[in-house]
Amino acid sequence: KAGVTQTPRYLIKTRGQQVTLSCSPISGHRSVSWYQQTPGQGLQFLFEYFSETQRNKGNFPGRFSGRQFSNSRSEMNVSTLELGDSALYLCASSLALGTYGYTFGSGTRLTVV
Amino acid sequence: SQQGEEDPQALSIQEGENATMNCSYKTSINNLQWYRQNSGRGLVHLILIRSNEREKHSGRLRVTLDTSKKSSSLLITASRAADTASYFCATGLQGGSEKLVFGKGTKLTVNP
């Protein structure tokens, strides 16, 4: 069974640009969450989606947004990129988190120059 | 802010030895999970222990949970070089959210 697929794997953007990252969850998983990982702050929760509805949002500025489609695929968008947005962005899907935990994708490494 | 704090931050052992990592957290939880991450790649789910469980095993892994002390430990027995990775604890909070709050991790190095 295919895992969680994140595209692209690597991305280099310039300050002020915007970026869209994509995540395809495991087939049948309706819950998708996004995390940002940096050396300084570690793993920080961004959003959580279930059946196209955002159920939770982390403590990030409004430049960070996301959505989930009817096929459970999810995208996150970061507008007006800043140098501090350079990070590994991880997407995770779950069948039933309280029982099985998350399956993570390999991440998108975003570098802002 | 981090909910979980792993201890130690780094651990170096020889192949065949056991590795123990500890995690402390602050608020009430539904469950606690351990994940492994190899060198900047995605996280791999290792084990989930519910708040009403005290101990769980999976292969060479043993996890304990003490909710009165708000702490958990992960024991890897008979370690292998392939176990070299960063290990994170993550807490699933009460309230129906799927959000996980991660600690900063323990970097484990297993020397052949």
Side-chain angles (χ1 to χ4, degrees), chain A residues 31 35 37 40-41 43-44 48 55-56 88 90 97 99-102 104-105, chain B residues 2 31 33 35 37 40 42-43 45 48 50 88 97-100 102 104:
Chain A
S31 173
Y35 290 81
Q37 186 177 29
Q41 297 300 314
L43 282 149
Q44 301 283 320
E48 170 203 339
R55 298 206 299 189
N56 257 295
L88 180 66
L90 293 162
L97 178 61
T99 305
Y100 301 112
Y102 277 139
F104 278 82
Chain B
Q2 306 299 123
N31 60 76
Q33 303 174 41
Y35 288 83
Q37 185 179 38
L43 281 78
H45 180 254
L48 179 152
R50 294 188 184 85
F88 296 88
S97 169
E98 303 256 325
K99 168 185 173 179
L100 289 178
F102 284 86
K104 292 221 169 184

PDB file of all heavy atoms in Angstrom, chain A residues 31 35 37 40-41 43-44 48 55-56 88 90 97 99-102 104-105, chain B residues 2 31 33 35 37 40 42-43 45 48 50 88 97-100 102 104:
ATOM      1  N   SER A  31      -7.847  11.832   7.855  1.00  0.00           N
ATOM      2  CA  SER A  31      -7.235  12.856   8.702  1.00  0.00           C
ATOM      3  C   SER A  31      -5.840  13.172   8.187  1.00  0.00           C
ATOM      4  O   SER A  31      -5.021  12.267   7.993  1.00  0.00           O
ATOM      5  CB  SER A  31      -7.150  12.355  10.145  1.00  0.00           C
ATOM      6  OG  SER A  31      -6.430  13.260  10.943  1.00  0.00           O
ATOM      7  N   TYR A  35       3.104  19.536   9.879  1.00  0.00           N
ATOM      8  CA  TYR A  35       4.041  19.959  10.904  1.00  0.00           C
ATOM      9  C   TYR A  35       5.223  20.650  10.241  1.00  0.00           C
ATOM     10  O   TYR A  35       5.631  20.295   9.137  1.00  0.00           O
ATOM     11  CB  TYR A  35       4.547  18.759  11.715  1.00  0.00           C
ATOM     12  CG  TYR A  35       3.494  18.163  12.612  1.00  0.00           C
ATOM     13  CD1 TYR A  35       2.538  17.284  12.103  1.00  0.00           C
ATOM     14  CD2 TYR A  35       3.428  18.508  13.961  1.00  0.00           C
ATOM     15  CE1 TYR A  35       1.553  16.765  12.924  1.00  0.00           C
ATOM     16  CE2 TYR A  35       2.441  17.983  14.787  1.00  0.00           C
ATOM     17  CZ  TYR A  35       1.513  17.116  14.258  1.00  0.00           C
ATOM     18  OH  TYR A  35       0.525  16.595  15.069  1.00  0.00           O
ATOM     19  N   GLN A  37       9.250  21.481  10.881  1.00  0.00           N
ATOM     20  CA  GLN A  37      10.389  21.087  11.702  1.00  0.00           C
ATOM     21  C   GLN A  37      11.586  21.970  11.405  1.00  0.00           C
ATOM     22  O   GLN A  37      12.037  22.066  10.256  1.00  0.00           O
ATOM     23  CB  GLN A  37      10.761  19.616  11.467  1.00  0.00           C
ATOM     24  CG  GLN A  37      11.859  19.126  12.402  1.00  0.00           C
ATOM     25  CD  GLN A  37      12.179  17.657  12.215  1.00  0.00           C
ATOM     26  OE1 GLN A  37      12.037  17.101  11.135  1.00  0.00           O
ATOM     27  NE2 GLN A  37      12.601  16.995  13.291  1.00  0.00           N
ATOM     28  N   GLY A  40      15.763  24.885  15.515  1.00  0.00           N
ATOM     29  CA  GLY A  40      15.558  25.684  16.720  1.00  0.00           C
ATOM     30  C   GLY A  40      14.267  25.374  17.462  1.00  0.00           C
ATOM     31  O   GLY A  40      14.243  25.264  18.686  1.00  0.00           O
ATOM     32  N   GLN A  41      13.178  25.224  16.737  1.00  0.00           N
ATOM     33  CA  GLN A  41      11.861  25.046  17.342  1.00  0.00           C
ATOM     34  C   GLN A  41      11.388  23.595  17.355  1.00  0.00           C
ATOM     35  O   GLN A  41      10.378  23.284  17.990  1.00  0.00           O
ATOM     36  CB  GLN A  41      10.822  25.905  16.610  1.00  0.00           C
ATOM     37  CG  GLN A  41      11.075  27.391  16.703  1.00  0.00           C
ATOM     38  CD  GLN A  41      11.063  27.881  18.138  1.00  0.00           C
ATOM     39  OE1 GLN A  41      10.163  27.534  18.918  1.00  0.00           O
ATOM     40  NE2 GLN A  41      12.052  28.662  18.517  1.00  0.00           N
ATOM     41  N   LEU A  43       9.586  20.199  16.143  1.00  0.00           N
ATOM     42  CA  LEU A  43       8.380  19.890  15.385  1.00  0.00           C
ATOM     43  C   LEU A  43       7.218  20.708  15.930  1.00  0.00           C
ATOM     44  O   LEU A  43       6.822  20.562  17.082  1.00  0.00           O
ATOM     45  CB  LEU A  43       8.058  18.398  15.497  1.00  0.00           C
ATOM     46  CG  LEU A  43       8.902  17.491  14.625  1.00  0.00           C
ATOM     47  CD1 LEU A  43       9.087  16.134  15.277  1.00  0.00           C
ATOM     48  CD2 LEU A  43       8.257  17.317  13.263  1.00  0.00           C
ATOM     49  N   GLN A  44       6.651  21.534  15.087  1.00  0.00           N
ATOM     50  CA  GLN A  44       5.549  22.397  15.482  1.00  0.00           C
ATOM     51  C   GLN A  44       4.315  22.076  14.644  1.00  0.00           C
ATOM     52  O   GLN A  44       4.396  21.981  13.414  1.00  0.00           O
ATOM     53  CB  GLN A  44       5.932  23.864  15.278  1.00  0.00           C
ATOM     54  CG  GLN A  44       7.156  24.312  16.065  1.00  0.00           C
ATOM     55  CD  GLN A  44       6.866  24.546  17.518  1.00  0.00           C
ATOM     56  OE1 GLN A  44       5.827  25.091  17.885  1.00  0.00           O
ATOM     57  NE2 GLN A  44       7.776  24.128  18.384  1.00  0.00           N
ATOM     58  N   GLU A  48      -4.656  20.683  11.116  1.00  0.00           N
ATOM     59  CA  GLU A  48      -5.216  19.341  11.074  1.00  0.00           C
ATOM     60  C   GLU A  48      -6.514  19.426  10.283  1.00  0.00           C
ATOM     61  O   GLU A  48      -7.353  20.302  10.530  1.00  0.00           O
ATOM     62  CB  GLU A  48      -5.502  18.855  12.490  1.00  0.00           C
ATOM     63  CG  GLU A  48      -6.294  17.575  12.576  1.00  0.00           C
ATOM     64  CD  GLU A  48      -7.001  17.455  13.914  1.00  0.00           C
ATOM     65  OE1 GLU A  48      -6.594  18.119  14.884  1.00  0.00           O
ATOM     66  OE2 GLU A  48      -7.980  16.712  13.973  1.00  0.00           O
ATOM     67  N   ARG A  55      -9.790  21.261  11.561  1.00  0.00           N
ATOM     68  CA  ARG A  55     -10.256  21.021  12.926  1.00  0.00           C
ATOM     69  C   ARG A  55      -9.383  21.718  13.959  1.00  0.00           C
ATOM     70  O   ARG A  55      -9.824  21.974  15.076  1.00  0.00           O
ATOM     71  CB  ARG A  55     -10.308  19.526  13.229  1.00  0.00           C
ATOM     72  CG  ARG A  55     -11.264  18.765  12.347  1.00  0.00           C
ATOM     73  CD  ARG A  55     -11.783  17.516  13.013  1.00  0.00           C
ATOM     74  NE  ARG A  55     -10.703  16.579  13.332  1.00  0.00           N
ATOM     75  CZ  ARG A  55     -10.930  15.338  13.762  1.00  0.00           C
ATOM     76  NH1 ARG A  55     -12.144  14.904  13.952  1.00  0.00           N
ATOM     77  NH2 ARG A  55      -9.919  14.547  14.021  1.00  0.00           N
ATOM     78  N   ASN A  56      -8.143  21.990  13.575  1.00  0.00           N
ATOM     79  CA  ASN A  56      -7.218  22.625  14.514  1.00  0.00           C
ATOM     80  C   ASN A  56      -6.193  23.403  13.735  1.00  0.00           C
ATOM     81  O   ASN A  56      -5.811  23.016  12.624  1.00  0.00           O
ATOM     82  CB  ASN A  56      -6.473  21.576  15.341  1.00  0.00           C
ATOM     83  CG  ASN A  56      -7.029  21.457  16.729  1.00  0.00           C
ATOM     84  OD1 ASN A  56      -6.959  22.376  17.530  1.00  0.00           O
ATOM     85  ND2 ASN A  56      -7.611  20.311  17.001  1.00  0.00           N
ATOM     86  N   LEU A  88      11.741  21.877   7.236  1.00  0.00           N
ATOM     87  CA  LEU A  88      11.204  20.643   6.679  1.00  0.00           C
ATOM     88  C   LEU A  88       9.712  20.614   7.026  1.00  0.00           C
ATOM     89  O   LEU A  88       9.349  20.715   8.200  1.00  0.00           O
ATOM     90  CB  LEU A  88      11.910  19.419   7.277  1.00  0.00           C
ATOM     91  CG  LEU A  88      11.455  18.043   6.798  1.00  0.00           C
ATOM     92  CD1 LEU A  88      11.783  17.840   5.309  1.00  0.00           C
ATOM     93  CD2 LEU A  88      12.097  16.945   7.641  1.00  0.00           C
ATOM     94  N   LEU A  90       6.351  18.556   7.117  1.00  0.00           N
ATOM     95  CA  LEU A  90       5.929  17.159   7.148  1.00  0.00           C
ATOM     96  C   LEU A  90       4.417  17.055   7.165  1.00  0.00           C
ATOM     97  O   LEU A  90       3.739  17.777   7.891  1.00  0.00           O
ATOM     98  CB  LEU A  90       6.501  16.471   8.389  1.00  0.00           C
ATOM     99  CG  LEU A  90       8.017  16.306   8.402  1.00  0.00           C
ATOM    100  CD1 LEU A  90       8.515  16.024   9.808  1.00  0.00           C
ATOM    101  CD2 LEU A  90       8.443  15.181   7.474  1.00  0.00           C
ATOM    102  N   LEU A  97      -6.238   8.304  14.915  1.00  0.00           N
ATOM    103  CA  LEU A  97      -5.016   8.664  15.629  1.00  0.00           C
ATOM    104  C   LEU A  97      -4.942   8.065  17.008  1.00  0.00           C
ATOM    105  O   LEU A  97      -3.918   7.581  17.436  1.00  0.00           O
ATOM    106  CB  LEU A  97      -4.905  10.189  15.707  1.00  0.00           C
ATOM    107  CG  LEU A  97      -3.686  10.703  16.468  1.00  0.00           C
ATOM    108  CD1 LEU A  97      -2.411  10.243  15.785  1.00  0.00           C
ATOM    109  CD2 LEU A  97      -3.705  12.213  16.548  1.00  0.00           C
ATOM    110  N   THR A  99      -5.684   5.413  18.056  1.00  0.00           N
ATOM    111  CA  THR A  99      -5.413   3.974  18.069  1.00  0.00           C
ATOM    112  C   THR A  99      -4.138   3.621  17.315  1.00  0.00           C
ATOM    113  O   THR A  99      -3.356   2.795  17.765  1.00  0.00           O
ATOM    114  CB  THR A  99      -6.588   3.211  17.440  1.00  0.00           C
ATOM    115  OG1 THR A  99      -7.790   3.563  18.107  1.00  0.00           O
ATOM    116  CG2 THR A  99      -6.365   1.711  17.496  1.00  0.00           C
ATOM    117  N   TYR A 100      -3.931   4.257  16.184  1.00  0.00           N
ATOM    118  CA  TYR A 100      -2.860   3.819  15.298  1.00  0.00           C
ATOM    119  C   TYR A 100      -1.709   4.789  15.141  1.00  0.00           C
ATOM    120  O   TYR A 100      -0.673   4.449  14.634  1.00  0.00           O
ATOM    121  CB  TYR A 100      -3.419   3.511  13.903  1.00  0.00           C
ATOM    122  CG  TYR A 100      -4.495   2.440  13.918  1.00  0.00           C
ATOM    123  CD1 TYR A 100      -5.817   2.743  13.626  1.00  0.00           C
ATOM    124  CD2 TYR A 100      -4.173   1.136  14.235  1.00  0.00           C
ATOM    125  CE1 TYR A 100      -6.797   1.772  13.655  1.00  0.00           C
ATOM    126  CE2 TYR A 100      -5.152   0.153  14.261  1.00  0.00           C
ATOM    127  CZ  TYR A 100      -6.460   0.483  13.971  1.00  0.00           C
ATOM    128  OH  TYR A 100      -7.420  -0.484  13.999  1.00  0.00           O
ATOM    129  N   GLY A 101      -1.860   6.007  15.528  1.00  0.00           N
ATOM    130  CA  GLY A 101      -0.785   6.968  15.309  1.00  0.00           C
ATOM    131  C   GLY A 101      -0.757   7.453  13.876  1.00  0.00           C
ATOM    132  O   GLY A 101      -1.581   7.094  13.045  1.00  0.00           O
ATOM    133  N   TYR A 102       0.213   8.284  13.598  1.00  0.00           N
ATOM    134  CA  TYR A 102       0.351   8.899  12.282  1.00  0.00           C
ATOM    135  C   TYR A 102       1.299   8.119  11.382  1.00  0.00           C
ATOM    136  O   TYR A 102       2.255   7.514  11.846  1.00  0.00           O
ATOM    137  CB  TYR A 102       0.969  10.291  12.430  1.00  0.00           C
ATOM    138  CG  TYR A 102       0.036  11.416  12.766  1.00  0.00           C
ATOM    139  CD1 TYR A 102       0.421  12.372  13.682  1.00  0.00           C
ATOM    140  CD2 TYR A 102      -1.180  11.557  12.130  1.00  0.00           C
ATOM    141  CE1 TYR A 102      -0.401  13.447  13.985  1.00  0.00           C
ATOM    142  CE2 TYR A 102      -2.011  12.624  12.425  1.00  0.00           C
ATOM    143  CZ  TYR A 102      -1.617  13.564  13.349  1.00  0.00           C
ATOM    144  OH  TYR A 102      -2.427  14.627  13.638  1.00  0.00           O
ATOM    145  N   PHE A 104       3.797   9.358   8.485  1.00  0.00           N
ATOM    146  CA  PHE A 104       4.358  10.594   7.947  1.00  0.00           C
ATOM    147  C   PHE A 104       4.901  10.389   6.543  1.00  0.00           C
ATOM    148  O   PHE A 104       5.385   9.305   6.194  1.00  0.00           O
ATOM    149  CB  PHE A 104       5.505  11.088   8.828  1.00  0.00           C
ATOM    150  CG  PHE A 104       5.070  11.860  10.033  1.00  0.00           C
ATOM    151  CD1 PHE A 104       4.665  11.200  11.172  1.00  0.00           C
ATOM    152  CD2 PHE A 104       5.057  13.239  10.020  1.00  0.00           C
ATOM    153  CE1 PHE A 104       4.255  11.905  12.294  1.00  0.00           C
ATOM    154  CE2 PHE A 104       4.651  13.961  11.141  1.00  0.00           C
ATOM    155  CZ  PHE A 104       4.245  13.288  12.280  1.00  0.00           C
ATOM    156  N   GLY A 105       4.841  11.460   5.756  1.00  0.00           N
ATOM    157  CA  GLY A 105       5.542  11.497   4.489  1.00  0.00           C
ATOM    158  C   GLY A 105       7.006  11.835   4.719  1.00  0.00           C
ATOM    159  O   GLY A 105       7.430  12.089   5.855  1.00  0.00           O
TER     160      GLY A 105
ATOM    161  N   GLN B   2       7.062  23.284  23.657  1.00  0.00           N
ATOM    162  CA  GLN B   2       7.082  21.842  23.643  1.00  0.00           C
ATOM    163  C   GLN B   2       6.300  21.310  24.831  1.00  0.00           C
ATOM    164  O   GLN B   2       6.402  21.809  25.939  1.00  0.00           O
ATOM    165  CB  GLN B   2       8.531  21.330  23.698  1.00  0.00           C
ATOM    166  CG  GLN B   2       9.442  21.902  22.627  1.00  0.00           C
ATOM    167  CD  GLN B   2       8.997  21.583  21.215  1.00  0.00           C
ATOM    168  OE1 GLN B   2       8.782  22.452  20.402  1.00  0.00           O
ATOM    169  NE2 GLN B   2       8.838  20.302  20.931  1.00  0.00           N
ATOM    170  N   ASN B  31      -2.986   9.847  24.901  1.00  0.00           N
ATOM    171  CA  ASN B  31      -2.031   8.801  24.566  1.00  0.00           C
ATOM    172  C   ASN B  31      -0.653   9.429  24.410  1.00  0.00           C
ATOM    173  O   ASN B  31      -0.518  10.662  24.322  1.00  0.00           O
ATOM    174  CB  ASN B  31      -2.430   8.088  23.274  1.00  0.00           C
ATOM    175  CG  ASN B  31      -2.489   9.028  22.081  1.00  0.00           C
ATOM    176  OD1 ASN B  31      -1.450   9.417  21.530  1.00  0.00           O
ATOM    177  ND2 ASN B  31      -3.684   9.439  21.683  1.00  0.00           N
ATOM    178  N   GLN B  33       3.019   8.744  22.169  1.00  0.00           N
ATOM    179  CA  GLN B  33       3.567   7.975  21.054  1.00  0.00           C
ATOM    180  C   GLN B  33       5.066   8.244  20.934  1.00  0.00           C
ATOM    181  O   GLN B  33       5.540   9.319  21.302  1.00  0.00           O
ATOM    182  CB  GLN B  33       2.869   8.390  19.759  1.00  0.00           C
ATOM    183  CG  GLN B  33       1.362   8.206  19.828  1.00  0.00           C
ATOM    184  CD  GLN B  33       0.672   8.761  18.609  1.00  0.00           C
ATOM    185  OE1 GLN B  33       1.141   8.598  17.480  1.00  0.00           O
ATOM    186  NE2 GLN B  33      -0.457   9.412  18.827  1.00  0.00           N
ATOM    187  N   TYR B  35       8.220   8.151  18.071  1.00  0.00           N
ATOM    188  CA  TYR B  35       8.545   8.148  16.656  1.00  0.00           C
ATOM    189  C   TYR B  35      10.056   8.142  16.490  1.00  0.00           C
ATOM    190  O   TYR B  35      10.801   8.633  17.341  1.00  0.00           O
ATOM    191  CB  TYR B  35       7.987   9.396  15.959  1.00  0.00           C
ATOM    192  CG  TYR B  35       6.487   9.401  15.803  1.00  0.00           C
ATOM    193  CD1 TYR B  35       5.660   9.807  16.847  1.00  0.00           C
ATOM    194  CD2 TYR B  35       5.896   9.003  14.605  1.00  0.00           C
ATOM    195  CE1 TYR B  35       4.277   9.807  16.694  1.00  0.00           C
ATOM    196  CE2 TYR B  35       4.517   9.006  14.446  1.00  0.00           C
ATOM    197  CZ  TYR B  35       3.723   9.412  15.495  1.00  0.00           C
ATOM    198  OH  TYR B  35       2.359   9.409  15.338  1.00  0.00           O
ATOM    199  N   GLN B  37      13.177   9.184  13.627  1.00  0.00           N
ATOM    200  CA  GLN B  37      13.475   9.947  12.423  1.00  0.00           C
ATOM    201  C   GLN B  37      14.925   9.750  12.051  1.00  0.00           C
ATOM    202  O   GLN B  37      15.821   9.988  12.858  1.00  0.00           O
ATOM    203  CB  GLN B  37      13.195  11.436  12.624  1.00  0.00           C
ATOM    204  CG  GLN B  37      13.381  12.262  11.346  1.00  0.00           C
ATOM    205  CD  GLN B  37      13.079  13.736  11.556  1.00  0.00           C
ATOM    206  OE1 GLN B  37      13.397  14.302  12.589  1.00  0.00           O
ATOM    207  NE2 GLN B  37      12.449  14.366  10.565  1.00  0.00           N
ATOM    208  N   GLY B  40      16.788  13.799   9.048  1.00  0.00           N
ATOM    209  CA  GLY B  40      16.033  14.780   8.304  1.00  0.00           C
ATOM    210  C   GLY B  40      14.991  14.228   7.358  1.00  0.00           C
ATOM    211  O   GLY B  40      14.540  14.926   6.454  1.00  0.00           O
ATOM    212  N   GLY B  42      11.254  11.683   6.990  1.00  0.00           N
ATOM    213  CA  GLY B  42       9.975  11.604   7.680  1.00  0.00           C
ATOM    214  C   GLY B  42      10.064  10.789   8.953  1.00  0.00           C
ATOM    215  O   GLY B  42      10.988  10.017   9.164  1.00  0.00           O
ATOM    216  N   LEU B  43       9.067  10.971   9.815  1.00  0.00           N
ATOM    217  CA  LEU B  43       9.021  10.235  11.073  1.00  0.00           C
ATOM    218  C   LEU B  43       8.341   8.888  10.874  1.00  0.00           C
ATOM    219  O   LEU B  43       7.406   8.762  10.087  1.00  0.00           O
ATOM    220  CB  LEU B  43       8.247  11.031  12.123  1.00  0.00           C
ATOM    221  CG  LEU B  43       9.006  12.160  12.793  1.00  0.00           C
ATOM    222  CD1 LEU B  43       9.087  13.376  11.881  1.00  0.00           C
ATOM    223  CD2 LEU B  43       8.355  12.541  14.102  1.00  0.00           C
ATOM    224  N   HIS B  45       6.339   5.942  12.912  1.00  0.00           N
ATOM    225  CA  HIS B  45       5.629   5.644  14.155  1.00  0.00           C
ATOM    226  C   HIS B  45       6.136   4.324  14.722  1.00  0.00           C
ATOM    227  O   HIS B  45       6.193   3.309  14.025  1.00  0.00           O
ATOM    228  CB  HIS B  45       4.129   5.545  13.861  1.00  0.00           C
ATOM    229  CG  HIS B  45       3.311   5.235  15.069  1.00  0.00           C
ATOM    230  ND1 HIS B  45       2.752   4.002  15.288  1.00  0.00           N
ATOM    231  CD2 HIS B  45       2.958   5.997  16.136  1.00  0.00           C
ATOM    232  CE1 HIS B  45       2.094   4.015  16.428  1.00  0.00           C
ATOM    233  NE2 HIS B  45       2.194   5.220  16.962  1.00  0.00           N
ATOM    234  N   LEU B  48       2.361   3.305  20.277  1.00  0.00           N
ATOM    235  CA  LEU B  48       1.394   4.191  20.927  1.00  0.00           C
ATOM    236  C   LEU B  48       0.955   3.538  22.215  1.00  0.00           C
ATOM    237  O   LEU B  48       0.623   2.353  22.225  1.00  0.00           O
ATOM    238  CB  LEU B  48       0.196   4.427  20.005  1.00  0.00           C
ATOM    239  CG  LEU B  48      -0.959   5.323  20.492  1.00  0.00           C
ATOM    240  CD1 LEU B  48      -1.647   5.973  19.296  1.00  0.00           C
ATOM    241  CD2 LEU B  48      -1.972   4.568  21.339  1.00  0.00           C
ATOM    242  N   ARG B  50      -1.742   4.140  25.433  1.00  0.00           N
ATOM    243  CA  ARG B  50      -2.870   4.954  25.885  1.00  0.00           C
ATOM    244  C   ARG B  50      -2.670   5.357  27.342  1.00  0.00           C
ATOM    245  O   ARG B  50      -1.936   4.715  28.093  1.00  0.00           O
ATOM    246  CB  ARG B  50      -4.174   4.174  25.719  1.00  0.00           C
ATOM    247  CG  ARG B  50      -4.542   3.893  24.287  1.00  0.00           C
ATOM    248  CD  ARG B  50      -5.945   3.290  24.188  1.00  0.00           C
ATOM    249  NE  ARG B  50      -6.279   2.935  22.827  1.00  0.00           N
ATOM    250  CZ  ARG B  50      -5.951   1.780  22.263  1.00  0.00           C
ATOM    251  NH1 ARG B  50      -5.289   0.877  22.936  1.00  0.00           N
ATOM    252  NH2 ARG B  50      -6.293   1.539  21.019  1.00  0.00           N
ATOM    253  N   PHE B  88      11.595  10.694  19.082  1.00  0.00           N
ATOM    254  CA  PHE B  88      10.712  11.738  19.613  1.00  0.00           C
ATOM    255  C   PHE B  88       9.533  11.117  20.340  1.00  0.00           C
ATOM    256  O   PHE B  88       8.950  10.137  19.865  1.00  0.00           O
ATOM    257  CB  PHE B  88      10.149  12.601  18.477  1.00  0.00           C
ATOM    258  CG  PHE B  88      11.185  13.380  17.725  1.00  0.00           C
ATOM    259  CD1 PHE B  88      11.831  12.829  16.638  1.00  0.00           C
ATOM    260  CD2 PHE B  88      11.499  14.679  18.102  1.00  0.00           C
ATOM    261  CE1 PHE B  88      12.790  13.545  15.931  1.00  0.00           C
ATOM    262  CE2 PHE B  88      12.449  15.414  17.406  1.00  0.00           C
ATOM    263  CZ  PHE B  88      13.091  14.837  16.324  1.00  0.00           C
ATOM    264  N   SER B  97      -8.831  16.371  19.773  1.00  0.00           N
ATOM    265  CA  SER B  97      -7.979  16.819  18.681  1.00  0.00           C
ATOM    266  C   SER B  97      -7.035  15.714  18.250  1.00  0.00           C
ATOM    267  O   SER B  97      -6.656  14.861  19.027  1.00  0.00           O
ATOM    268  CB  SER B  97      -7.159  18.030  19.129  1.00  0.00           C
ATOM    269  OG  SER B  97      -6.152  18.322  18.178  1.00  0.00           O
ATOM    270  N   GLU B  98      -6.670  15.744  16.964  1.00  0.00           N
ATOM    271  CA  GLU B  98      -5.672  14.811  16.462  1.00  0.00           C
ATOM    272  C   GLU B  98      -4.275  15.400  16.559  1.00  0.00           C
ATOM    273  O   GLU B  98      -3.306  14.767  16.193  1.00  0.00           O
ATOM    274  CB  GLU B  98      -5.960  14.473  15.000  1.00  0.00           C
ATOM    275  CG  GLU B  98      -7.329  13.905  14.743  1.00  0.00           C
ATOM    276  CD  GLU B  98      -7.313  12.404  14.494  1.00  0.00           C
ATOM    277  OE1 GLU B  98      -6.343  11.926  13.892  1.00  0.00           O
ATOM    278  OE2 GLU B  98      -8.258  11.737  14.902  1.00  0.00           O
ATOM    279  N   LYS B  99      -4.159  16.609  17.084  1.00  0.00           N
ATOM    280  CA  LYS B  99      -2.871  17.286  17.168  1.00  0.00           C
ATOM    281  C   LYS B  99      -1.935  16.532  18.090  1.00  0.00           C
ATOM    282  O   LYS B  99      -2.326  16.056  19.154  1.00  0.00           O
ATOM    283  CB  LYS B  99      -3.113  18.699  17.705  1.00  0.00           C
ATOM    284  CG  LYS B  99      -1.887  19.462  18.141  1.00  0.00           C
ATOM    285  CD  LYS B  99      -2.297  20.790  18.748  1.00  0.00           C
ATOM    286  CE  LYS B  99      -1.124  21.520  19.351  1.00  0.00           C
ATOM    287  NZ  LYS B  99      -1.523  22.815  19.926  1.00  0.00           N
ATOM    288  N   LEU B 100      -0.681  16.413  17.670  1.00  0.00           N
ATOM    289  CA  LEU B 100       0.360  15.854  18.511  1.00  0.00           C
ATOM    290  C   LEU B 100       1.313  16.958  18.919  1.00  0.00           C
ATOM    291  O   LEU B 100       1.620  17.852  18.126  1.00  0.00           O
ATOM    292  CB  LEU B 100       1.147  14.776  17.765  1.00  0.00           C
ATOM    293  CG  LEU B 100       0.448  13.453  17.487  1.00  0.00           C
ATOM    294  CD1 LEU B 100       1.367  12.536  16.703  1.00  0.00           C
ATOM    295  CD2 LEU B 100      -0.009  12.790  18.771  1.00  0.00           C
ATOM    296  N   PHE B 102       5.096  17.456  20.103  1.00  0.00           N
ATOM    297  CA  PHE B 102       6.355  16.719  20.105  1.00  0.00           C
ATOM    298  C   PHE B 102       7.375  17.327  21.051  1.00  0.00           C
ATOM    299  O   PHE B 102       7.419  18.541  21.257  1.00  0.00           O
ATOM    300  CB  PHE B 102       6.970  16.720  18.696  1.00  0.00           C
ATOM    301  CG  PHE B 102       6.310  15.775  17.742  1.00  0.00           C
ATOM    302  CD1 PHE B 102       5.200  16.159  17.026  1.00  0.00           C
ATOM    303  CD2 PHE B 102       6.809  14.495  17.569  1.00  0.00           C
ATOM    304  CE1 PHE B 102       4.584  15.290  16.139  1.00  0.00           C
ATOM    305  CE2 PHE B 102       6.208  13.610  16.687  1.00  0.00           C
ATOM    306  CZ  PHE B 102       5.085  14.009  15.975  1.00  0.00           C
ATOM    307  N   LYS B 104      11.690  17.595  21.775  1.00  0.00           N
ATOM    308  CA  LYS B 104      12.806  17.952  20.895  1.00  0.00           C
ATOM    309  C   LYS B 104      13.655  16.755  20.501  1.00  0.00           C
ATOM    310  O   LYS B 104      14.521  16.875  19.648  1.00  0.00           O
ATOM    311  CB  LYS B 104      13.671  19.023  21.564  1.00  0.00           C
ATOM    312  CG  LYS B 104      12.952  20.362  21.685  1.00  0.00           C
ATOM    313  CD  LYS B 104      13.868  21.529  21.366  1.00  0.00           C
ATOM    314  CE  LYS B 104      13.073  22.816  21.239  1.00  0.00           C
ATOM    315  NZ  LYS B 104      13.888  23.954  20.851  1.00  0.00           N
TER     316      LYS B 104
END
